[in-house]
Short mmCIF file of all heavy atoms in Angstrom, two decimals:
data_model
loop_
_atom_site.label_atom_id
_atom_site.label_comp_id
_atom_site.label_asym_id
_atom_site.label_seq_id
_atom_site.Cartn_x
_atom_site.Cartn_y
_atom_site.Cartn_z
N THR A 73 0.18 -3.85 -10.39
CA THR A 73 0.70 -3.13 -9.22
C THR A 73 -0.47 -2.83 -8.27
O THR A 73 -1.63 -3.16 -8.56
CB THR A 73 1.41 -1.84 -9.63
OG1 THR A 73 0.45 -0.94 -10.18
CG2 THR A 73 2.52 -2.11 -10.65
N SER A 74 -0.17 -2.20 -7.17
CA SER A 74 -1.19 -1.94 -6.14
C SER A 74 -2.43 -1.27 -6.72
O SER A 74 -3.56 -1.54 -6.31
CB SER A 74 -0.62 -1.00 -5.07
OG SER A 74 0.72 -1.28 -4.82
N ARG A 75 -2.20 -0.41 -7.68
CA ARG A 75 -3.30 0.30 -8.32
C ARG A 75 -4.28 -0.66 -8.99
O ARG A 75 -5.47 -0.39 -9.10
CB ARG A 75 -2.68 1.23 -9.37
CG ARG A 75 -3.58 2.25 -9.96
CD ARG A 75 -2.74 3.15 -10.85
NE ARG A 75 -1.71 3.85 -10.07
CZ ARG A 75 -1.55 5.17 -10.07
NH1 ARG A 75 -2.30 5.93 -10.81
NH2 ARG A 75 -0.61 5.73 -9.34
N PHE A 100 -3.19 9.96 -2.52
CA PHE A 100 -3.86 8.71 -2.85
C PHE A 100 -5.36 8.77 -2.63
O PHE A 100 -6.10 7.99 -3.21
CB PHE A 100 -3.18 7.54 -2.14
CG PHE A 100 -1.86 7.19 -2.76
CD1 PHE A 100 -0.67 7.63 -2.20
CD2 PHE A 100 -1.81 6.50 -3.97
CE1 PHE A 100 0.56 7.35 -2.81
CE2 PHE A 100 -0.60 6.22 -4.58
CZ PHE A 100 0.59 6.63 -4.01
N VAL A 146 -7.95 5.70 2.47
CA VAL A 146 -6.54 5.31 2.37
C VAL A 146 -6.09 5.15 3.82
O VAL A 146 -6.37 6.01 4.64
CB VAL A 146 -5.73 6.42 1.67
CG1 VAL A 146 -4.25 6.07 1.66
CG2 VAL A 146 -6.24 6.66 0.26
N GLY A 148 -2.66 4.45 4.96
CA GLY A 148 -1.43 5.23 5.08
C GLY A 148 -1.20 5.93 3.75
O GLY A 148 -1.07 5.28 2.72
N THR A 150 1.25 7.73 1.63
CA THR A 150 2.69 8.01 1.58
C THR A 150 3.00 9.43 1.15
O THR A 150 4.08 9.93 1.43
CB THR A 150 3.42 7.05 0.60
OG1 THR A 150 2.52 6.68 -0.42
CG2 THR A 150 3.97 5.86 1.31
N ASP A 175 -7.32 1.37 1.08
CA ASP A 175 -6.07 1.11 0.37
C ASP A 175 -4.98 1.06 1.44
O ASP A 175 -4.63 2.09 2.02
CB ASP A 175 -5.82 2.24 -0.63
CG ASP A 175 -4.42 2.16 -1.25
OD1 ASP A 175 -3.69 1.17 -1.02
OD2 ASP A 175 -4.05 3.11 -1.98
N THR A 177 -1.90 -0.20 0.91
CA THR A 177 -0.64 -0.50 0.21
C THR A 177 0.58 -0.07 1.01
O THR A 177 1.54 -0.82 1.15
CB THR A 177 -0.60 0.24 -1.15
OG1 THR A 177 -1.78 -0.11 -1.87
CG2 THR A 177 0.63 -0.13 -1.94
N ALA A 178 0.52 1.15 1.52
CA ALA A 178 1.71 1.72 2.16
C ALA A 178 1.83 1.32 3.62
O ALA A 178 2.91 1.41 4.20
CB ALA A 178 1.67 3.24 2.05
N GLN A 200 5.48 -3.86 -2.66
CA GLN A 200 6.75 -3.10 -2.68
C GLN A 200 6.96 -2.15 -1.51
O GLN A 200 7.86 -1.35 -1.53
CB GLN A 200 6.88 -2.34 -4.00
CG GLN A 200 6.05 -1.07 -4.16
CD GLN A 200 4.70 -1.30 -4.79
OE1 GLN A 200 4.09 -2.34 -4.62
NE2 GLN A 200 4.20 -0.33 -5.54
N LYS A 201 6.09 -2.21 -0.49
CA LYS A 201 6.31 -1.36 0.69
C LYS A 201 6.76 -2.28 1.83
O LYS A 201 7.80 -2.90 1.74
CB LYS A 201 5.06 -0.57 1.02
CG LYS A 201 4.46 0.16 -0.20
CD LYS A 201 4.99 1.56 -0.43
CE LYS A 201 4.65 2.12 -1.79
NZ LYS A 201 3.44 2.92 -1.84
C1 PLP B 1 2.72 3.38 -2.93
C2 PLP B 1 1.26 3.41 -2.90
C3 PLP B 1 0.50 2.87 -3.94
C4 PLP B 1 1.26 2.32 -5.10
O1 PLP B 1 0.52 1.92 -6.20
P1 PLP B 1 1.30 1.19 -7.38
O2 PLP B 1 0.27 0.94 -8.38
O3 PLP B 1 1.89 -0.08 -6.81
O4 PLP B 1 2.38 2.12 -7.82
C5 PLP B 1 -0.88 2.87 -3.83
N1 PLP B 1 -1.48 3.40 -2.74
C6 PLP B 1 -0.78 3.94 -1.72
C7 PLP B 1 -1.47 4.49 -0.54
C8 PLP B 1 0.61 3.96 -1.79
O5 PLP B 1 1.33 4.51 -0.82
#
Side-chain angles (χ1 to χ4, degrees):
T73 67
S74 323
R75 192 174 298 234
F100 286 100
V146 176
T150 29
D175 170 8
T177 306
Q200 77 268 33
K201 311 270 166 93

